[in-house]
Amino acid sequence: MSTDQDETDIGPDDSDAETKNAQDLKSDNDKTTGGLRNVEPPPPSIVEILEDVRQEEQRDGDQTSNGKFSRAYGNVLDEKEDESSSIVNGDVLGSLDKERPSSADGSLSNPDDTPSVQNSILSSPGRYPHSSGRGHSPSSSLRPFDRRFQARTSQSPLSSPRPTSPAFLTAHSRHSSALSQLVHDSGDVDTPDAPWEVVRWTKLRKMSGQAFSEIGKRKFGRPTCIAVSASIALGTSKGMILIFDYHQTLHTIIGPGTQAVESGSVTSITFSADYSSVAGGHANGAIFTWDTARSAKPSLHIPSIDPSRVNASDHDGHVSGAAVLHIGFLGTRHTALVSADDKGMAFSHFASTGMGAFARSIRTTRILGRYPESGLVVTKPKKPSSVLAFAPLPLGNALLATDEMGLVAMLTPYLLVIVSTIPVAQTQHKASRPKELAAHGTMSAALAWFPAMKTNADDTAIDAPSSLAKLAYSWSNILTVLDVHEADVSEGRAKDKSPELRFIPRKRWKADEAIVAIQWLSRTVLSVITVSQQLIILEDSALRVTDSSDMIKKHIYHADLFSQQLSQLVEKLDEEDISMHGVVADAFYMSFKAYKGRLFLLGFSDVSMGTMSNWADRLLALMEEGNFIGAIELATAYYNGEGDKATVGLPEDDTSRHSVVQEKLIEMMSASLKYAFGRNQKAGTSKLGDRQLEALVTACFNACLSIEDMDFLFDDVYTWYSDDQVQGLFLHCLEGYITSGSIRILPPSVLKDLIVHFVEGGRDSELEETLCLLDPETMDIDQITNLCKQHKLYDALFYVWNQALGDYTTIMKDLLYLKEDESIDSGSNTTPFSTQPPNPISKVFPYLSYILTGRIYPTGESMDEAKAVVAKAEVYDFLFSSGRRDAVIENSYNKMTPSLPYLRHILKLDSSSFLSMLNEAFEDGFLNGSNDMLGGQQRTTELSEEQRFGLSVNRQFIISMLLEIIVPPEFGEEDIIYLDMFIARNIAKFSQFILLPGSTLQRVMVELCTYASEETAEDCQLSVEYLLSVFQPPDLLSMIPILASAHFYRILKLIYSSEKKYALLLETCFEDRENPQAIFDCITDCLKPTSELSPKQREDIRDVIVEHASDLVEAGLTHAAAIINAFAPELHDSLLETLRNDDHAQFQYLKEVLEPEESRTSVNMTPRASLNQNFIEQYVRLLCDYNPHHVSDYIGNLQTGDLRLEFVLPALESSGIIDAAVVIMAREGKIRDAIDRLTHYLRTLEAALIGLLDGAHESPDAANAQETLDDLVKSLQKYIRIGVWLCQSQTKAVAKMEGKAKAENHQTLVTDQLSLGEELWLDLVDTVVQVTRDVGDALESRLDTNTNGELRAPIQSTREPINISKVLSSLRAMVQETFTALLTATTMPPADDARRKDISFLRIFRAFLDRVSLSSPSIANLRSVLSAIFSAYSYEESLLDLANRLLDKDLFVHVAEVSSMRRRGWRPLGQVCEGCGKRVWGPGVGGGIWDAWVEAGQSGGSVDSTVDAARSRAGLSGKGKGKDAVSMEENIAEEDKTAEPAAEGRKGGNPGALVVFACRHVFHRRCLESMEVRENEPEAGERESLEFSCPLCK
């Protein structure tokens, strides 16, 4: 890697010393990375080997094998050394002006005119993995005439194993460039950084020594800014300008003895377009321009103006004390400038011509900003601002209207402003800051123009096309490129009118951090400096990062120029304001400049110049590092145009780029091969390992394929590998490129070695595939033929002879008559083909299939049409020409050569394969007999006699020949059947081309029906179907017995269907065992209501179904049941009869009939009324066996009378399905029997529970015992609920009957005898209590008091204990549930209002106690029974008591609230009585009413008490607000508001108390009494307690 070159002097001695140091550095850097080679001291470097190659090539001239080594790679070294020496010797200008083909600019004019990068591709690591897999064709079909012959070689394109160019990362870091990571190996290793520097920096030591030395600082001041053009200018802190030439000589010192040194430090500096003038802006606002040739006094002086005279002055200018931060010349004029200061103001300055600086008049115009406000004028305060970036548009070599407008771009914290200054100042474009700027980010801004340039090489052409002027600008981390377009204007536009411009943002890029400086390196390359001093290189067209480099060690000079002015925009305490900035970045723009593709940096202690490393530099850096493989890969990528061509200095034009890169690429490969194999002339080096050599040959393959130089690959590269006995690596890599199709031509020597390589590895099959992908026209036919025959590569042999010689029959003939001991290689030591048939003769058939269908064998690619016709003609002549006499037939019984010898021989080998091949060939249009297949008569005459005969072969001829040859006894019956199938199929497809007599077709049909092998039966039937589509036998019905004996059921069905013989059709369907679905389809079509069958035909169908009932259920039991139930339910008996010995089948059948699945509900099912009762009873009996859990559900859905109890009850009882039996008995009215059976079964479950508990200690599985116990308890609960349901049903029925009796007799018989319902309850309760008591006693007797309610197993057992408490709680819950049901059923009041005279519960309970007392031997037992009954209620009682207390509390609160609200009364709807219409309250009611109210209040009672008294007198309870719908009497409340009147004789008398209803109607009591109409007049004593209802709301 190159480093900064520090030079101290320009003398020749120092130059020689520096050159020697550089050579020593190269020697020190000769190290390998990634384990590419073993170091043996003293090893020669790869660069030295390159130098040797260069010298050898110079001696040998053009005598190399490829003839392209005219120039040496050492020229790269020469160019690098020349450039370094010129910089060391101070000849920087010479290096800038020197034409270098490898330069990044191509032409180093200012600015550069390299075309922009378009559609460049950035590689990524590992994007194209190495792959050499091959596909395999599927195996051919075993059935004749359905197969399509396939060769082993796959036709599909295979993925290329070629690796791509070196892959680079897109992300950049502080220490690596975007092109820094090369793919050296596919392993998982860390990729090293690139060995080259993005920019090669050179420290200008002599210039730095003069400007930054202590003497220089005392004399000139510290450098503050830099400008670069033909010279390098430095502005200093003492107001001087130092101008150096490119020999680093201080050429001019500007400023001493003038007013410039009194104006403060130089804050900005610029050169004019012709480099003859320089302008400087100073810290106090003054501007000076100087002629560099006469610098004693300034050419122009633009002083600043006094701040106190800003408003009074007639002239504009920078205010004194405002530092001029930016300055620039406009166009080519020396007297036109623009400038901007740190206060946010910008001006244009135009000076008139005159004699000297003080004899000229200067016109200054303000183009941006406002002057500071004076203290006397109070206006709106302006926002703080400054000009963060500023630049005029420089001149380009293309003449455009923008050059005449004096465009200036300015960036403030708020806006981008572009102003044209000529002829007058005018704003052309404004743009605000991007919205995507992050809040509280760094405030920074930068911009740079690039002028319009001509885009072709001939810059002198006037009408040459040119690029647009463009501006790159940034706020914070957002960079935008703006294109300047000139709008189309008419030719008649006034000359003094400025053109219209359009500014179009083209691209935007977001950096990771704030951007502080921007410079254009070329028309397509941008360089930016970020706030952390990182240099980033961008490609302009896509704004994509191509390189990055850390500049922190360069110590770039920067200053804080804006933070004081913009302090108000920096956040302090208010972090919520997103418009505030975190910090204002320092200014870098005055220290970072670009000129002619070079970068110049002003540092704190030196000045540096940088050059972008071009493609040659990067290749050389890789070679110096020893990474020659990476260098070859990178050069290949450059050759192919991958990556960033503009950044590395490569032209966009492919021709130019190829000519530059190709020579270097070949030289690097030559040097790398020498280095890798240790063949250096000076000293030996150790040979690389196989892994590195494989990587090297892969890189060489890619490079040679890219440059299309196969001579170098096979003559040079292969020679190196072959001489070193590692040609296997080369050949293995070559295989992948052949498979991908990249290489199709091999030299004979390489091909021979390739074959040997495959054979030695036992890869004969892969070798054959590989050979078929090569171009055979370039092969040595004798060599390849011998090799293929030796290793039995017949596919490759076919391919070579077909393609190279156009011979399609010779190899086939040799293969046909291959002796059996030769066809199977038993003595060869090579590995046999894994996918190849045992006999190579079988390859003839796929070969013929490919050729006769116009495909290349074995690749499957399509032949050229003319070649395909010739090939088919030759093959058909070979097979069907009767004039051939070149066949040698070994025939033991016939020494004479028969006609068509090859055809006969092939047919005898395998007639089925041959006919299958012909079946495929018949589909080709060649056999149509067209006379113009070769494009004209003249072409046809050029064919040989054999080929013309082949052209005349057609389908009719072929079939005729086959009928003539394939006859007994020469061919067997099976061969004849194959021929018949072939004829039947093809005559149907090509009836217009094949004509055969009816007798022949009849014979073919009969022969197909008399096949000998069952394997061909299906093919024969299909062939007959083909034949019948075009041939109608004279007597088709006579063929039916033959077809039936052949079991051609499809054909028979077709015949019977067409003849409408449906019964025979159905019988045929039954006989066809392979298609049972056809049976159901036939029955459906024949018996559906919409069918056209006559009643007689339908009856015949039913007879056939009965006859084949067993076949029908065998075809599909459930399907048969559904079909019969839908269309012939009367046949159920017949089908069930066939299933009489199979109960499960009967169950499935009846289930489908009685409970069909939802999927078949679309079929019209038979209504239940039409089903036989026997079916339902039988189904219930079968359900007991196969699905007992579903019996109860099914019986519950049945109707009364569907089942006969005596037929199903035994099955139910034997299966233990008592619930279903009880339901049936109850439905039949046998309630007494039902409850008896139920109680008996409950006793049975009790015995089972007790028995289980008795054997719990001896049970081997306690967990299983607990599970069984839980199941028994659940069964008890289930059957007790069934008993409750029975008793409840009976109670309701009895109550209903008694209700009718009461209605008829109007009396109720009261008797002590229990009714039937009560007896049922008594039996159930007694049984439940007894079961609970007995099981509880059994549990308690076995309860160990130390187990906390759990029955323990023996001590020696580790089984889990049985949970007794859970069982006891379940039993008690059953008792509680039973008594709750009894109470609910027997204590509910009747519907009428009569008092209940018959208390059933008490009588049942008394009878229960009597029964228990008889069965219990002692009072203790009776007490235990009662305790078991009522213990379940104790807990519930406590809960109910607690709930009642809570409810009472809430109820009291709400009732008190309601009572309080009721005492407040209701507000009447009006002020008058609804009866008499007189006012009853409010104004005008009269004094008597008020006096009575007052007197009532003075009597000691409150108004509320008076109201209560009135209520009590009225006999009202004051309930609610009228929400009771039963009686309106409860909805009124009365309020006595009058008491006794104070005067009896008042006007109108005393109307009495007021009555206010809930409906808010108000009445006088007296009026209400007079309006009330009653049926019975109340007695005198009851009048005071009358209850009223509102007469208006009745």
Side-chain angles (χ1 to χ4, degrees), residues 906-1158:
I906 292 176
L907 287 171
K908 289 180 179 180
L909 289 175
D910 192 347
S911 61
S912 63
S913 297
F914 180 78
L915 291 173
S916 298
M917 178 276 299
L918 271 186
N919 185 67
E920 188 176 352
F922 264 39
E923 298 174 1
D924 189 72
F926 178 86
L927 295 177
N928 292 341
S930 175
N931 295 324
D932 195 25
M933 287 183 289
L934 290 176
Q937 184 66 26
Q938 183 177 0
R939 294 289 303 275
T940 305
T941 57
E942 296 176 359
L943 299 177
S944 63
E945 181 180 355
E946 290 80 6
Q947 293 172 343
R948 285 197 297 271
F949 173 79
L951 285 176
S952 65
V953 173
N954 55 30
R955 297 180 182 89
Q956 180 72 42
F957 177 79
I958 293 174
I959 289 180
S960 300
M961 292 295 101
L962 293 175
L963 287 172
E964 180 181 342
I965 293 176
I966 304 178
V967 293
E970 187 175 355
F971 290 91
E973 182 179 355
E974 187 175 358
D975 298 327
I976 296 174
I977 292 296
Y978 282 131
L979 176 61
D980 292 335
M981 287 191 287
F982 173 76
I983 293 174
R985 289 169 179 258
N986 286 281
I987 197 172
K989 292 187 289 185
F990 307 104
S991 57
Q992 70 274 31
F993 298 105
I994 303 173
L995 296 177
L996 293 177
S999 59
T1000 301
L1001 298 178
Q1002 180 80 8
R1003 177 176 58 82
V1004 167
M1005 184 174 177
V1006 173
E1007 289 175 349
L1008 287 173
C1009 294
T1010 57
Y1011 55 88
S1013 174
E1014 290 294 334
E1015 295 179 356
T1016 59
E1018 179 60 28
D1019 289 299
C1020 289
Q1021 182 174 201
L1022 184 60
S1023 300
V1024 172
E1025 289 178 322
Y1026 274 107
L1027 185 58
L1028 288 176
S1029 65
V1030 294
F1031 169 67
Q1032 186 70 23
D1035 188 5
L1036 183 59
L1037 295 179
S1038 63
M1039 293 291 299
I1040 290 179
I1042 301 176
L1043 295 171
S1045 63
H1047 305 296
F1048 289 171
Y1049 297 117
R1050 289 200 307 270
I1051 302 173
L1052 290 172
K1053 293 174 189 177
L1054 203 61
I1055 295 174
Y1056 291 143
S1057 178
S1058 62
E1059 297 292 335
K1060 297 185 178 181
K1061 297 183 177 182
Y1062 299 109
L1064 294 175
L1065 173 62
L1066 183 56
E1067 286 186 356
T1068 305
C1069 292
F1070 279 116
E1071 293 176 3
D1072 187 5
R1073 302 287 183 177
E1074 296 182 0
N1075 187 14
Q1077 182 61 33
I1079 301 174
F1080 305 110
D1081 295 340
C1082 181
I1083 295 175
T1084 302
D1085 294 338
C1086 293
L1087 296 183
K1088 63 184 178 181
T1090 57
S1091 67
E1092 299 178 354
L1093 272 71
S1094 64
K1096 177 65 171 62
Q1097 290 175 324
R1098 290 176 182 269
E1099 188 63 29
D1100 294 340
I1101 292 295
R1102 291 185 179 92
D1103 294 340
V1104 174
I1105 293 175
V1106 172
E1107 182 182 354
H1108 295 275
S1110 59
D1111 297 332
L1112 181 60
V1113 295
E1114 183 181 352
L1117 181 64
T1118 57
H1119 203 171
I1123 292 296
I1124 295 302
N1125 195 47
F1127 302 112
E1130 65 277 8
L1131 301 182
H1132 282 313
D1133 291 332
S1134 299
L1135 270 71
L1136 287 172
E1137 178 64 22
T1138 62
L1139 303 174
R1140 61 181 179 274
N1141 297 325
D1142 190 348
D1143 291 342
H1144 186 266
Q1146 292 185 43
F1147 170 70
Q1148 295 292 334
Y1149 186 93
L1150 291 173
K1151 180 181 178 183
E1152 184 64 29
V1153 173
L1154 299 175
E1155 292 186 291
E1157 297 180 1
E1158 295 181 359

Side-chain angles (χ1 to χ4, degrees), residues 434 436-438 446 473-480 508-511 513-515 518:
E436 55 264 37
L437 282 177
Y473 67 93
S474 68
W475 267 300
S476 188
N477 63 329
I478 306 296
L479 184 143
T480 306
R508 180 163 287 177
W509 174 70
K510 186 175 182 179
E513 53 191 1
I515 298 171
I518 301 175

